[in-house]
Amino acid sequence: MNMINTNLPTAELQKLDAAHHFHPFTDNSALGKKGARVMVRGEGVWLTDSEGHRILDAMAGLWCVNIGYGRKELAQVAARQMEELPYYNTFFQTTHVPAIALAAKLAELAPGDLNHVFFAASGSEANDTNIRLVRRYWQAKGKPWRRTILARWNGYHGSTLGGGSLGGMKGIHAHGGKIDGIEHIEQPDWWSEGGDMSPEEFGLARARQLEEKILEVGPDNVAAFIGEAVQGAGGVIIPPSTYWPEIQRICQKYGVLLILDEVITGFGRTGNWFAAQTFNIKPDIITIAKGLSSGYQPIGGSILSDEVAAVVGGDEFNHGYTYSGHPVAAAVALENLRIMQDEGIVEHVRDVANPYLAKRWAELADHPLVGEAKLVGLMGSIALTPNKATRAAFTSETGTVGFRCRERCFANDLIMRHVGDRMIISPPLCITPAEIDVLIERARKSLDECYAGLQADGLMVAK
Ligand SMILES: *Cc1c(COP(=O)(O)O)cnc(C)c1O
């Protein structure tokens, strides 16, 4: 017997949702009045809601449904694994086949000497693990005072207390505080903060803030630096080409461990298995989640270099989760990776979807509301502006225009998200050129409608 009555009318579902379901990252009282959109089905890049709208999901859920919705193979693998061994832990000198096979597969796919996987159930948990890992690493090396972790303003590393502290979202810090020993430098967002510098000069300047911060904190106090290869939740900020090589150089110079948060960029998003390959970065630890299972099961982890694993693994590591390496999640992740490999999904991104989307996305820069249109692999952003030449911000409160644009997208059955006054996409990696055409057509229509509304309301005004 099905416990859920899926035939309830939308208004009834919304009422129950408002009464009992407290949503994450949401003004719950405002949503309760308006009613949440109820999603009921997914197929490829398409979602269907309870009113029967066919929506193009240009965000792949929360950047995670890399192979697309509705892949029955994953459901079948999950059912088989649940019948065989639904759960066992990996704490007390035990293991199981899905965790072994997935760890070995990840070691094969990850670049360089990243050969050891510590499993978590999410990206936030994995980054909490990373805090312990790097601090334990320096303890084990006889330098327990080396514990400060450097990160970036407007970075996102999850929303547990540890992940939220690594992140540089002030709104998150404001709700419950942040843990000690984490310091932030500024982000490489040339569009908003680059002033008169060229993007290349600006990339170097922002990377060199890492060196300044290391010297300020004291090189012998710094455990690690963490950054997303491309900031996702911060607005798809693709760093200038000079940025990562300089960050890498500085980390090496001071022996600071480099944690690359690939929760979004991992598993094909940038046209390689990992963005470490796209940007030629050599991290000591990579954070993974989201696309690892295409979101079909909650699973994440940290992939460690031989050296980090040897140092931390030389003694007991007092850390772990009940669901570390959960067999059902691990089996589903493995099947997801098998499909990605067998169907050449990373190659599809690199050779088909990215080149075509790059061309079509760049066309949006002609629009009177759009300043720049940027894309790497299949993650893109457009900056909305009242003045392209000066890269001006709007006089209205940041996010007002972006929110209005997102509302137009929703009305046109396109899920595109806004971060401040940037619009962002991260579609399923299986998206076809014909579906990219629909995405662009709906995006342009939404931009047109947003622009008309802004003009009517006198909001096309530069700060
Ligand atoms: C989503 C995200 C996280 C957090 O992952 P959860 O599974 O939501 O805990 C961490 N880092 C980055 C870069 C993310 O985008």
Side-chain angles (χ1 to χ4, degrees):
M1 241 274 292
N2 198 334
M3 290 279 289
I4 318 166
N5 180 356
T6 49
N7 296 320
L8 281 177
T10 301
E12 286 297 307
L13 289 167
Q14 288 173 328
K15 219 170 99 192
L16 276 174
D17 187 72
H20 304 295
H21 179 196
F22 204 83
H23 288 247
F25 285 112
T26 295
D27 175 340
N28 277 271
S29 69
L31 179 66
K33 292 192 189 88
K34 182 175 164 192
R37 197 163 189 171
V38 184
M39 297 301 183
V40 293
R41 212 170 303 114
E43 191 71 42
V45 303
W46 302 96
L47 288 166
T48 308
D49 70 9
S50 57
E51 318 253 71
H53 290 104
R54 242 170 91 75
I55 305 155
L56 197 159
D57 182 9
M59 284 305 300
L62 279 177
W63 328 76
C64 56
V65 188
N66 285 11
I67 62 167
Y69 296 95
R71 294 298 301 246
K72 297 210 164 34
E73 302 92 323
L74 272 59
Q76 284 154 2
V77 161
R80 266 206 306 280
Q81 186 59 47
M82 281 195 195
E83 282 168 2
E84 201 168 296
L85 181 70
Y87 177 76
Y88 200 70
N89 72 75
T90 51
F91 283 21
F92 307 119
Q93 312 201 342
T94 57
T95 189
H96 48 68
V97 177
I100 297 168
L102 181 59
K105 186 77 201 171
L106 289 169
E108 175 198 316
L109 293 174
D113 67 348
L114 293 157
N115 288 319
H116 313 268
V117 187
F118 188 100
F119 287 112
S122 70
S124 302
E125 282 184 8
N127 279 325
D128 275 30
T129 294
N130 291 339
I131 295 172
R132 269 188 212 285
L133 269 170
V134 299
R135 287 180 174 170
R136 176 65 196 142
Y137 172 93
W138 288 111
Q139 274 179 351
K141 291 202 118 182
K143 292 191 168 182
W145 51 86
R146 215 170 158 158
R147 64 189 301 281
T148 300
I149 302 171
L150 305 182
R152 301 175 305 176
W153 292 117
N154 202 36
Y156 187 78
H157 301 294
S159 94
T160 51
L161 199 48
S165 301
L166 292 171
M169 303 286 181
K170 290 178 182 158
I172 293 178
H173 297 169
H175 289 187
K178 79 195 241 302
I179 65 172
D180 71 301
I182 294 170
E183 304 257 348
H184 294 85
I185 60 172
E186 289 175 291
Q187 61 175 336
D189 178 1
W190 175 79
W191 172 266
S192 303
E193 301 172 10
D196 294 334
M197 284 187 229
S198 71
E200 292 71 27
E201 289 166 349
F202 178 71
L204 277 181
R206 283 291 156 98
R208 284 178 186 155
Q209 281 195 6
L210 176 60
E211 185 156 30
E212 289 158 25
K213 188 57 102 177
I214 290 171
L215 294 172
E216 180 193 317
V217 174
D220 211 34
N221 296 320
V222 179
F225 170 74
I226 184 167
E228 302 154 83
V230 176
Q231 288 157 263
V236 183
I237 311 295
I238 303 168
S241 60
T242 48
Y243 183 76
W244 276 112
E246 186 65 2
I247 291 282
Q248 182 87 54
R249 184 191 69 76
I250 293 164
C251 285
Q252 263 158 9
K253 178 171 172 189
Y254 296 98
V256 168
L257 294 172
L258 175 55
I259 308 168
L260 194 64
D261 187 335
E262 295 235 37
V263 168
I264 289 174
T265 55
F267 308 103
R269 178 61 54 196
T270 68
N272 287 292
W273 279 97
F274 292 95
Q277 296 153 327
T278 305
F279 294 93
N280 194 25
I281 306 166
K282 294 187 175 53
D284 300 287
I285 299 174
I286 282 182
T287 319
I288 54 174
K290 294 189 173 131
L292 169 56
S293 67
S294 282
Y296 282 58
Q297 284 284 294
I299 184 167
S302 307
I303 314 183
L304 319 179
S305 71
D306 289 339
E307 210 251 340
V308 169
V311 171
V312 179
D315 202 345
E316 178 103 4
F317 184 41
N318 296 328
H319 177 71
Y321 306 108
T322 301
Y323 298 136
S324 284
H326 190 287
V328 178
V332 167
L334 259 178
E335 180 65 3
N336 174 58
L337 299 178
R338 183 198 66 73
I339 290 175
M340 288 193 63
Q341 271 192 319
D342 286 359
E343 298 183 4
I345 289 182
V346 179
E347 293 77 6
H348 169 76
V349 173
R350 193 178 57 217
D351 302 334
V352 180
N354 165 271
Y356 189 64
L357 181 58
K359 176 171 149 282
R360 302 282 347 251
W361 193 245
E363 289 166 19
L364 294 175
D366 303 345
H367 195 279
L369 192 51
V370 176
E372 65 166 7
K374 301 262 286 177
L375 185 78
V376 57
L378 288 184
M379 66 195 288
S381 54
I382 50 187
L384 306 181
T385 178
N387 187 333
K388 297 169 190 256
T390 59
R391 312 204 305 269
F394 295 92
T395 43
S396 51
E397 194 190 333
T398 306
T400 308
V401 172
F403 180 76
R404 288 172 68 125
C405 185
R406 196 199 67 175
E407 291 294 280
R408 295 323 309 152
C409 293
F410 249 58
N412 290 315
D413 291 337
L414 171 67
I415 294 183
M416 179 152 74
R417 188 166 142 185
H418 81 105
V419 175
D421 295 324
R422 292 178 85 83
M423 303 306 297
I424 60 178
I425 57 164
S426 172
L429 305 184
C430 60
I431 194 166
T432 64
E435 289 163 341
I436 288 171
D437 287 339
V438 177
L439 190 167
I440 297 294
E441 186 192 312
R442 291 184 184 180
R444 188 174 282 279
K445 180 164 187 273
S446 305
L447 286 165
D448 285 346
E449 292 170 3
C450 178
Y451 182 55
L454 293 174
Q455 284 185 312
D457 296 342
L459 286 173
M460 277 301 287
V461 185
K463 207 172 233 167

